[in-house]
Amino acid sequence: MTRYLVARVLQAVIAVFFALTAVFFLVRITGDPVILFLPLDVQPKDISEFRHLLGFDRPVWVQYGAFLGRALHGDFGASLRYRAPALPLVLQRFPATAQLAAVSLALVAAGAVPIGVVSASRRGSMADTVGIAVTALGQAVPGFWLGLMLMWIFGVWLRWFPVSGYGNWTHFVLPAFTLAAFYAAQIARVTRSAVLDALGQDYVRTARAKGLSEPNVLARHVLKNAAIPVVTVFGLNAGQLLGGAVVTETIFAWPGLGGYILNALLGRDFPVVMVGVLFTSLIYVTMNFLVDLSYLWLNPQVRFG
Amino acid sequence: MKRSAVILLMLGLGTLLLPAGIVAQTKSTQVTIGIGSEPLTLMGATIVDWTTNAQLENVYDLLFTRDPKDEKIVPWLATGYKVIDDKTWEVTLRRDVRFHDRERFDANSVKFTFDYLLDPKNKTHYLPRFKRVQSVEVVNDSTVRFRTSEPYPSLLNDISLPGPFMLAPVYVQKVGIEYASSHPIGTGPFKFKEWVRGERLVLTKNPDYWAGPVKIDTVVFRVIPEFSARLAALLSGEIDVMKDVPPQAVDTVNRSGRATVRSTVSSRINYLALETLHPGPMQNVKVRQAINYAVDVDELIKTVLAGQSTRICDYVSRFDPAYTPAVKCYGYNPDKAKQLLVEAGFDPSKLTLTLDTPTGRYPLDKEVSEAIAAQLGKIGLTVRVQVNEWRSHLDKVINRKVGDMFFLGWGPDLEPTATIAQLFVGSLTYSSFGDPKIEEMIHKAEQITNPQANAAAYQKIQEALQPMAPWVPLWQQHDLYGVANWIKWQPRPDEKVWMWEATAK
């Protein structure tokens, strides 16, 4: 197990390193941020002087070396746009994203898994048809459209919930529902096919032959075996959500990571982009690791080492 | 579904539902302003960014400001100025002004502000603009002298625009720039209270404001990046003021019973530049004139912009002293356009042109560009519209990677040196047109400090430019603000959202 853990940590370090390196060079291919900062009426000569002042006239390899040197000491530099250290700027955005992700994932788990199970266990029934139709719709509707519709119906017209912003529980309802609708569709469909798959296995036939009732068969034999693909997809979704849901956060003016990192990218705020990449790649690596660990518990045949 | 279709559907639905949503309005003196992004810093004189400065203008003051009606320069923290010689300006200051922490505003504050702004170590974005300012000298408590490296006729213009907000020297030196960047102290009508990054900036009234009583108790700037979400927030009563209501949503806002659209003629001009820096048909003056005759600007204003623009024929705005009726519009004449193209040796049906446009930067920019393409199609031209995200559009313009034409705005345009000299000389990229005779005329005009003579020189330049047809001048956009009915406030041409000018009805 220790060997396994050490190997995983090494893998994680390598993955994060390559993500940072790739993004470092990719964002620089698109140009530097200098002209976005200066007034439009500035002459080209002044632009190059300012570029020199910020150090963007150095060869990109030199910039990369300087970045690595500082990053190893935990220094990611100051945001070019906000003129404040980049790391805390990004970290400040995480709680709002994490809260929204948690609420959305809870909604997904509570809504989608039961739909998937019912759909599968009554295959071909009315419930199944409705379940499939609703989930297909959930995945087909673009997030920004659903978000705006919810905002206009429940915010502007009915005035049940605030249209945007961050605050008490009422602020969570519309964005969390918007996010959950998309991921619920995916989870419900994965659950349905996993349960169907498990229902066709020999051990289910054996369990039924033993005379176990159908709910008992489902609960004791099917669900745990069907859980692996569901947990895998759920873990990936959690990774995406924790990295910030760009569209939903932007529409609902949610002060989370997604919109912030996107804006940094558009504004070529390199230090913030790098911290954002570091942070989101760490989240992905961690979520993958947690999913793998859950296999140990879900399927005793899985062994690491 | 296409995004535009969704918006139309929403607006349609919105108009059906709105009358049901009217609520009683309670009087309150908290104004909440929905704004697209948070301030990048709260330190004045640092960053060029409309959203940042629109918020900071409520905390800090400038030496000179602009009259909200005609945009003439008026003294603010200054009491007046004198041109001592070509390279020396003397500015006198008010003696009765204090910063929010009771520190006195005086000549030292002006010197400190410019020393900060011009110190390369601080990397302020205004450094290139004010590079010609060599030093600011304290003559006495209430007098300073600006010494410039060369004649700088637009100095007064540049210091009357958002940017060089007066900083408090004792305070900034005591707490340091980093702290002052998130806890600003100014002389302005509102004091800093709270800044929650990504969410809101809260300001409270400065009861001792030197320019007179402040009538709004609290001003909150709330970050709402999506325009449709800002519109929803305005209609649901969560915010009281928003900028840039889309022209097609004006009726929705006006019928809401809660807010109305108030408009102002902006000092920002929009134009279609004809790119002459690369070899191509646009280098032929007859082709450029033909394009001018083939674009029906009045029709664009009427149909695309719902009348919300003021036509210009000049290369500057109507607020600019160099604006002159002597420059006439080409006028819509498709037959003449076709004839000019033939004279230039082009068969319109075999000519394919590219038009670069930003999207979402100026009111209906993409839609205007598409309509222009359609109008040019009527004389047989094929125009491919290339839609760019704003920042890559700017990149393309500056690095000369645009096609045959591009759509751009320029503003605030209140002074010719900052417009004509910047557009038609040097880089030439924003106009993509250069001519040795015009450049020479500009270099002469740039040295003239007398305001009347300066304006006259730039008027002559425009008259010389007009037959060369460097652009299709389009219009001054109208800025459309959605404002809650309970607020008495009229928007200004210079995009300043200054709540000192607001009262509750």
Side-chain angles (χ1 to χ4, degrees), chain A residues 239-259:
Chain A
Q240 279 174 18
L241 280 171
L242 287 170
V246 176
V247 175
T248 308
E249 284 182 1
T250 307
I251 289 176
F252 289 102
W254 195 263
L257 272 179

Side-chain angles (χ1 to χ4, degrees), chain B residues 44-45 61-64 91 93 105 107-120 122 124 126-127 129-137 144-147 152 155-156 158-161 163-167 169:
Chain B
D61 281 317
L62 293 164
L63 289 178
F64 291 84
V91 174
L93 309 168
F105 165 79
N108 272 317
S109 320
V110 183
K111 181 175 166 49
F112 177 81
T113 302
F114 277 89
D115 285 351
Y116 162 80
L117 185 156
L118 293 169
D119 185 349
N122 295 323
T124 70
Y126 291 99
L127 172 63
R129 177 179 285 173
F130 288 103
K131 234 175 51 174
R132 280 170 287 176
V133 175
Q134 264 181 337
S135 64
V136 174
E137 289 162 16
V144 287
R145 276 188 181 179
F146 287 82
R147 290 205 191 278
Y152 186 0
L155 174 69
L156 221 51
D158 291 355
I159 61 176
S160 69
L161 295 176
F165 295 122
M166 288 299 126
L167 305 173

Side-chain angles (χ1 to χ4, degrees), chain B residues 348-406:
Chain B
S349 62
K350 291 197 182 116
L351 203 52
T352 301
L353 302 171
T354 308
L355 195 171
D356 275 275
T357 180
T359 175
R361 175 66 176 88
Y362 308 107
L364 298 167
D365 39 15
K366 177 170 77 77
E367 289 76 4
V368 165
S369 298
E370 281 163 356
I372 290 176
Q375 289 182 344
L376 294 177
K378 284 188 195 161
I379 60 161
L381 295 169
T382 308
V383 178
R384 208 172 56 83
V385 177
Q386 173 67 46
V387 181
N388 308 306
E389 188 267 330
W390 165 242
R391 288 174 256 219
S392 57
H393 185 70
L394 191 59
D395 255 358
K396 280 173 98 172
V397 172
I398 290 176
N399 295 315
R400 307 183 178 190
K401 288 180 185 150
V402 278
D404 305 285
M405 301 170 257
F406 62 89

Side-chain angles (χ1 to χ4, degrees), chain A residues 144-203:
Chain A
F144 75 88
W145 185 82
L146 181 65
L148 289 174
M149 287 319 268
L150 293 177
M151 179 188 290
W152 280 81
I153 295 170
F154 295 102
V156 179
W157 183 33
L158 297 170
R159 304 210 176 177
W160 289 357
F161 304 107
V163 294
S164 61
Y166 175 75
N168 59 23
W169 70 271
T170 58
H171 289 89
F172 279 85
V173 177
L174 300 182
F177 192 83
T178 307
L179 276 180
F182 180 78
Y183 289 104
Q186 213 179 352
I187 294 286
R189 294 168 76 80
V190 173
T191 308
R192 180 176 178 275
S193 65
V195 170
L196 276 179
D197 194 39
L199 281 172
Q201 299 292 325
D202 288 344
Y203 56 80

Side-chain angles (χ1 to χ4, degrees), chain A residues 209-249:
Chain A
K210 280 197 299 189
L212 278 182
S213 69
E214 198 60 24
N216 241 329
V217 173
L218 267 180
R220 288 179 51 188
H221 294 279
V222 174
L223 283 188
K224 200 169 167 186
N225 283 295
I228 285 190
V230 178
V231 168
T232 308
V233 176
F234 200 82
L236 289 176
N237 289 349
Q240 279 174 18
L241 280 171
L242 287 170
V246 176
V247 175
T248 308
E249 284 182 1

Side-chain angles (χ1 to χ4, degrees), chain B residues 32-53:
Chain B
T32 305
I33 301 164
I35 199 155
S37 54
E38 64 176 330
L40 299 175
T41 177
L42 299 182
M43 187 80 176
T46 304
I47 278 176
V48 179
D49 172 58
W50 176 81
T51 39
T52 300
N53 286 330

